[in-house]
């Protein structure tokens, strides 16, 4: 393993306007399936074109193609495992921005609540402002999850790809709720998991490459599969 030190603050990709507001939601799978999965994420999940930083595509940032980002690899793994599902993917960096500024507006996520997820994958925290107190983040995260999880499904928490102080609160909430937690911070310390040398913009280059995306997808898939076996 190639070890490097990467600070979350080194991710200089703005959390604002990562996707077009009219297309922040994607769907995969069979709408008639009894298993509904909601993924809420940020640029690692999906980022629209932003030519000024050398990103010209509309999928998980730093993946070489759409099918190699973590969402599409997760979808492929579920299909290969013959797990019937209907998945809603909601880009939610605006929630990270809003809660950081003390302006959390959950009504923007009403359709996520209405989706009635059996499993929610919480793939956020990278864009939470450094100065936000941990207790503030914890309370906002808990409120957000409770809003999304009206059906009372299972919640899969993940820590940040780049180790952050918010990870402590994510672990705390997962433990309090008795929900599974996926650690991802080790990936952000491994240069082989990031797109260094592929992009000039350092923030883009610090995002997971195809290998990093595949590893995230594998860890999430294993947890979903485990829940489906119960």
């Amino acid at each position: 393993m190639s070890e490097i030190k990467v600070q979350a603050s080194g991710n200089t990709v703005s959390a604002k306007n990562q996707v077009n507001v009219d297309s922040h939601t994607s769907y995969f799978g069979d709408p008639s399936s009894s298993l509904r999965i909601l993924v809420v994420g940020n640029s690692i999940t999906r980022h629209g074109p932003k030519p000024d930083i050398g990103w010209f595509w509309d999928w998980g940032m730093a993946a070489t193609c759409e099918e190699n980002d973590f969402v599409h690899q997760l979808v492929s793994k579920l299909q290969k495992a013959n797990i019937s599902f209907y998945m809603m993917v909601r880009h939610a960096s605006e929630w990270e921005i809003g809660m950081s500024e003390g302006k959390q507006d959950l009504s923007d996520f009403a359709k996520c609540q209405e989706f009635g997820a059996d499993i929610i994958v919480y793939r956020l925290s990278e864009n939470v402002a450094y100065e936000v107190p941990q207790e503030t983040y914890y309370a906002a995260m808990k409120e957000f999850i409770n809003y999304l999880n009206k059906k009372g499904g299972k919640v899969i928490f993940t820590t940040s790809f780049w180790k952050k102080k918010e990870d402590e609160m994510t672990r705390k909430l997962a433990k309090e709720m008795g929900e599974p937690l996926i650690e991802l911070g080790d990936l952000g310390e491994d240069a082989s998991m990031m797109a260094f040398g592929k992009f000039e913009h350092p923030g883009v280059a610090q995002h997971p490459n195809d290998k990093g995306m595949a590893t995230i997808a594998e860890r999430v898939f294993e947890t979903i599969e485990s829940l489906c076996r119960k």
Side-chain angles (χ1 to χ4, degrees):
M1 177 185 289
S2 177
E3 297 254 345
I4 58 172
K5 289 186 177 180
V6 177
Q7 299 294 329
S9 58
N11 172 32
T12 52
V13 174
S14 174
K16 297 182 178 180
N17 303 315
Q18 291 188 349
V19 297
N20 188 306
V21 69
D22 296 323
S23 60
H24 49 46
T25 305
S26 305
Y27 295 90
F28 301 89
D30 180 3
S32 67
S33 175
S34 60
L35 175 62
R36 293 189 161 224
I37 302 171
L38 169 65
V39 178
V40 287
N42 46 39
S43 60
I44 293 175
T45 299
R46 180 184 170 201
H47 197 301
K50 192 170 175 57
D52 60 303
I53 62 172
W55 179 253
F56 302 94
W57 304 277
D58 188 6
W59 55 71
M61 180 165 275
T64 57
C65 58
E66 186 177 63
E67 57 264 35
N68 286 344
D69 74 11
F70 115 77
V71 166
H72 288 81
Q73 292 200 57
L74 174 60
V75 167
S76 178
K77 289 177 181 297
L78 290 167
Q79 291 173 336
K80 289 178 180 178
N82 294 316
I83 296 175
S84 176
F85 67 94
Y86 188 41
M87 181 185 294
M88 176 182 190
V89 180
R90 175 62 155 87
H91 187 275
S93 67
E94 77 266 28
W95 175 80
E96 294 173 306
I97 297 170
M99 66 78 46
S100 294
E101 298 175 347
K103 303 173 183 177
Q104 182 169 221
D105 183 5
L106 299 181
S107 64
D108 288 343
F109 296 89
K111 289 186 177 179
C112 295
Q113 184 187 79
E114 294 166 4
F115 183 70
D118 301 286
I119 297 174
I120 296 173
V121 179
Y122 179 81
R123 180 67 294 283
L124 293 166
S125 78
E126 283 85 357
N127 295 309
V128 176
Y130 179 79
E131 62 271 15
V132 174
Q134 292 192 54
E135 296 76 11
T136 300
Y137 174 65
Y138 175 82
M141 174 174 49
K142 185 174 183 178
E143 182 181 358
F144 187 38
I145 291 295
N146 286 338
Y147 178 86
L148 297 175
N149 197 22
K150 185 178 181 180
K151 186 176 181 179
K154 297 294 294 180
V155 180
I156 298 172
F157 290 90
T158 78
T159 59
S160 176
F161 180 78
W162 306 287
K163 290 183 178 180
K164 295 188 66 184
K165 62 183 177 64
E166 284 77 22
D167 293 339
E168 183 180 340
M169 296 296 99
T170 304
R171 296 183 188 104
K172 178 181 176 181
L173 183 56
K175 183 177 181 180
E176 177 186 297
M177 295 178 65
E179 300 288 17
L181 171 77
I182 300 173
E183 295 282 353
L184 297 179
D186 62 298
L187 306 182
E189 294 185 329
D190 182 350
S192 75
M193 295 289 178
M194 287 173 279
F196 292 118
K198 303 295 184 181
F199 300 92
E200 290 186 13
H201 190 280
V204 177
Q206 283 192 20
H207 279 65
N209 58 14
D210 291 354
K211 180 181 176 183
M213 292 288 189
T215 306
I216 294 171
E218 180 63 25
R219 292 182 185 183
V220 174
F221 166 73
E222 288 176 351
T223 306
I224 291 176
E225 186 182 38
S226 175
L227 293 175
C228 290
R229 289 198 299 264
K230 293 182 178 179

